[in-house]
Amino acid sequence: MTWLAVFISALLFFPAALHLLWAIGAWVPIRDEAALARATVGAPGITQMPGAIPCALVFVALSFAAALPHLTTFPLRTLLLLAIAAVFLLRGIAAYLPAWRKLVPEEPFATLDQRYYGPLCLLLGASFLLFTLSGA
């Protein structure tokens, strides 16, 4: 299922690139750091973006997830693909749980999470699961 591997990688490219930009201190697409933090993190009273190391780690994780479907001889590939699918599915489901909303209630994150971030994570999780179960 090469087309699905390419689809997954393409979906992950944009959030990975954003995390890399944030790791080097480029506040995009919102130039105001506090507004960007409220839109992307959503923690109560947040005024600053996470530091360079957390953003860089997310970039590395997303890049690895994007590359893994193409690495056909990678050890433990199937197990890692299933783990990635589970992480994205759980994160997608969390967007609609009251307990999650209590942890990250800040607007506009709460609305963006339910409208865009959660569905994107569900789509990625389902894509990774389908890819893995197809035996690709």
Side-chain angles (χ1 to χ4, degrees):
M1 285 202 157
T2 304
W3 67 269
L4 190 51
V6 171
F7 176 75
I8 288 169
S9 297
L11 275 180
L12 287 171
F13 174 78
F14 185 67
L18 283 174
H19 281 84
L20 179 60
L21 289 169
W22 298 337
I24 62 172
W27 307 138
V28 291
I30 302 170
R31 297 211 184 272
D32 177 73
E33 182 181 6
L36 182 61
R38 283 191 303 275
T40 59
V41 180
I46 192 161
T47 59
Q48 294 181 316
M49 286 293 286
I53 292 173
C55 290
L57 289 173
V58 173
F59 164 74
V60 169
L62 292 173
S63 297
F64 178 75
L68 189 59
H70 306 281
L71 304 175
T72 57
T73 60
F74 194 85
L76 303 173
R77 179 176 179 253
T78 300
L79 181 63
L80 290 171
L81 286 168
L82 287 173
I84 292 168
V87 167
F88 278 117
L89 288 170
L90 290 171
R91 172 56 185 89
I93 291 167
Y96 304 100
L97 299 176
W100 177 254
R101 195 55 48 230
K102 286 180 183 177
L103 288 174
V104 286
E106 197 74 43
E107 286 293 348
F109 176 83
T111 299
L112 293 169
D113 192 29
Q114 290 187 338
R115 193 173 293 160
Y116 301 109
Y117 309 152
L120 176 61
C121 287
L122 290 171
L123 177 61
L124 282 163
S127 297
F128 270 102
L129 187 60
L130 178 63
F131 180 82
T132 306
L133 295 179
S134 73

